[in-house]
Amino acid sequence: MPTDQNHMRRCIDLAHEAKEEGDFPFGSLIADSGGNPVAEGRNREVTESDVTWHAEMEAVRNATRKLRCRSLEGMTLYASGEPCLMCAVAIRRAGISRVVVAARTANPIPVEPHPFTAEAFGDTPMPRVTYGILEREALEVQDRESSP
């Protein structure tokens, strides 16, 4: 079974691909409860001229389309960077059970209550969030001086 580190390595590879294409360096992967990859995404905000085309959004969109369902309950989303507010809301709405983040955002946008901590979604459970898997590698690709 693939490990958290294996999935995060793929996210970092996707972040490199995004960066090489001129996009922001972020990648994401969704795995099912058995650890099998279901879908992935990378940032395409610049190349698609779409401020909502984040890695996590693409991964969620690809997973729900592939599985032909809105619920991703029991699944894990891996992200090379900390999901923004928009992505965090999509993660909660999709019912993703676990989120694994390589690197936290240095200066996150202050949002109270944050979607990962607030019970603003009725009976939708909050995902368990783990930080720091391959953090150094993720931060290397996120070097802001070489990002768009």
Side-chain angles (χ1 to χ4, degrees):
M1 176 191 311
T3 65
D4 286 350
Q5 286 192 347
N6 291 8
H7 289 322
M8 194 58 72
R9 273 187 185 56
R10 178 61 185 146
C11 290
I12 292 168
D13 289 344
L14 290 164
H16 278 289
E17 289 176 20
K19 188 175 186 176
E20 288 169 7
E21 293 291 322
D23 287 301
F24 295 99
F26 298 103
S28 185
L29 180 146
I30 295 176
D32 65 19
S33 60
N36 303 301
V38 172
E40 56 186 39
R42 69 172 184 81
N43 186 288
R44 298 176 197 274
E45 194 173 334
V46 175
T47 55
E48 293 293 332
S49 300
D50 182 344
V51 298
T52 68
W53 208 308
H54 292 193
E56 301 89 343
M57 296 293 283
E58 184 176 57
V60 168
R61 191 177 300 119
N62 289 342
T64 56
R65 285 181 180 160
K66 179 179 180 179
L67 299 172
R68 295 177 183 238
C69 69
R70 292 181 54 205
S71 175
L72 300 177
E73 186 177 344
M75 298 196 187
T76 299
L77 181 136
Y78 295 84
S80 63
E82 188 167 23
C84 72
L85 176 61
M86 172 185 68
C87 294
V89 169
I91 290 165
R92 285 289 302 272
R93 292 212 24 127
I96 290 171
S97 300
R98 182 171 175 245
V99 177
V100 180
V101 178
R104 293 188 92 147
T105 302
N107 297 308
I109 297 170
V111 176
E112 292 299 330
H114 192 277
F116 284 164
T117 58
E119 285 300 333
F121 292 87
D123 61 354
T124 303
M126 292 182 292
R128 294 184 327 273
V129 183
T130 303
Y131 292 97
I133 306 291
L134 300 181
E135 180 178 30
R136 183 179 52 78
E137 293 90 334
L139 289 172
E140 286 174 5
V141 72
Q142 292 176 28
D143 174 14
R144 297 294 180 210
E145 291 180 20
S146 58
S147 296

